[in-house]
Amino acid sequence: MSCTFRGERLFTWYYAFVLMGCYAVGELGHFIIGIISKPISQELHFGEKGCVTNSSEIESQVEKLQKCSGMNFTMCHAAEHQNKTYCRWDYTGSGIEYQILAGPSFIAIFTVMGIVIGVLGDKYNRVRLLTVCMLLYSTMALLSGFSNSYWQLIIFRLGFGAGEAGCTPLTASIVADKFSKESRGLAMSIFNWGIYFGYGLAFAVGNYVTEANILGQGWRWSYYVTAIPGFL
């Protein structure tokens, strides 16, 4: 006799955790731009410029000095500590171009494709469609790491939004297919953990992987790491 929980076989609950993992990877790629926007903007040259700390090595010392943020151009270049300039004028990872990248470029395609994929899910195999969606947004995350311009990043984020748009409508349908009505609420709750895991991972990956500066590629490895789970 197979083991059960709330009337469902244990293997059936495996689906809920796999779906949660898919959602977590999608949300990781969704939110990570907010964590690594500054190093991306400084390398690809977009957004607003302002006064930023010159080196992470003196970040703790700067806390005891006058903050770089808020300084004008002249003050920024004049700020010194122990005969070293601790501020520089550079891209800050903010401004209208960043806002377009983080918001409209994702939301515009996400909202439309969510409906399109939902309709497709009513006609075709939902598990296969979800697999295609996950491969799409994982590929877009990987390509984002190879971006050499702002507009390339926009295009890849549009593609990412199109892929992630399938998560919720397809998952809701899969849960309805696999679980009895007595268990669907819990299954959807497990799936929804994905947003919190994804958001938390975005902070960890965006900060620590970028700071590790693997092979001298900084923020690019944050996207590579984001993409890897989707291909496993």
Side-chain angles (χ1 to χ4, degrees):
M1 180 181 294
S2 59
C3 296
T4 62
F5 176 70
R6 292 177 65 91
E8 308 288 350
R9 291 184 305 156
L10 292 183
F11 183 77
T12 303
W13 289 104
Y14 167 78
Y15 281 102
F17 285 96
V18 169
L19 294 171
M20 182 267 289
C22 293
Y23 196 20
V25 173
E27 292 303 285
L28 166 59
H30 178 184
F31 287 117
I32 200 167
I33 186 65
I35 309 298
I36 59 177
S37 61
K38 184 184 289 186
I40 292 178
S41 67
Q42 290 173 356
E43 184 171 336
L44 301 187
H45 301 160
F46 67 85
E48 292 183 351
K49 280 189 171 183
C51 193
V52 298
T53 305
N54 197 35
S55 171
S56 59
E57 296 177 1
I58 60 172
E59 192 82 45
S60 59
Q61 299 179 40
V62 171
E63 292 179 1
K64 302 175 184 178
L65 305 170
Q66 185 176 1
K67 295 287 187 180
C68 296
S69 59
M71 290 185 180
N72 60 32
F73 183 83
T74 302
M75 292 174 62
C76 186
H77 285 283
E80 291 187 353
H81 176 62
Q82 296 179 350
N83 297 320
K84 293 182 179 180
T85 302
Y86 66 86
C87 297
R88 74 177 189 276
W89 197 257
D90 205 343
Y91 293 94
T92 62
S94 59
I96 186 65
E97 288 173 294
Y98 163 71
Q99 292 171 24
I100 291 172
L101 177 63
S105 68
F106 181 89
I107 295 170
I109 194 73
F110 184 87
T111 52
V112 173
M113 288 304 297
I115 297 173
V116 173
I117 295 172
V119 171
L120 292 175
D122 290 335
K123 296 182 178 181
Y124 302 104
N125 187 292
R126 292 156 184 160
V127 174
R128 290 179 181 175
L129 280 173
L130 183 59
T131 301
V132 170
C133 287
M134 189 167 187
L135 287 174
L136 175 59
Y137 65 66
S138 296
T139 300
M140 292 299 106
L142 180 65
L143 292 175
S144 295
F146 290 99
S147 297
N148 290 314
S149 72
Y150 172 74
W151 290 107
Q152 286 180 354
L153 204 57
I154 286 281
I155 291 170
F156 296 143
R157 188 155 173 83
L158 285 168
F160 188 95
E164 196 192 352
C167 276
T168 300
L170 293 175
T171 294
S173 300
I174 292 170
V175 167
D177 291 340
K178 300 293 183 182
F179 292 85
S180 65
K181 62 181 181 180
E182 291 80 12
S183 302
R184 288 171 192 160
L186 178 57
M188 284 301 298
S189 297
I190 293 172
F191 164 72
N192 283 322
W193 284 349
I195 190 171
Y196 307 110
F197 281 116
Y199 186 80
L201 285 170
F203 180 84
V205 172
N207 280 297
Y208 299 120
V209 174
T210 300
E211 189 175 314
N213 197 25
I214 302 170
L215 300 177
Q217 294 186 313
W219 61 270
R220 296 180 184 276
W221 269 91
S222 294
Y223 275 118
Y224 302 155
V225 170
T226 297
I228 289 171
F231 296 109
L232 298 179

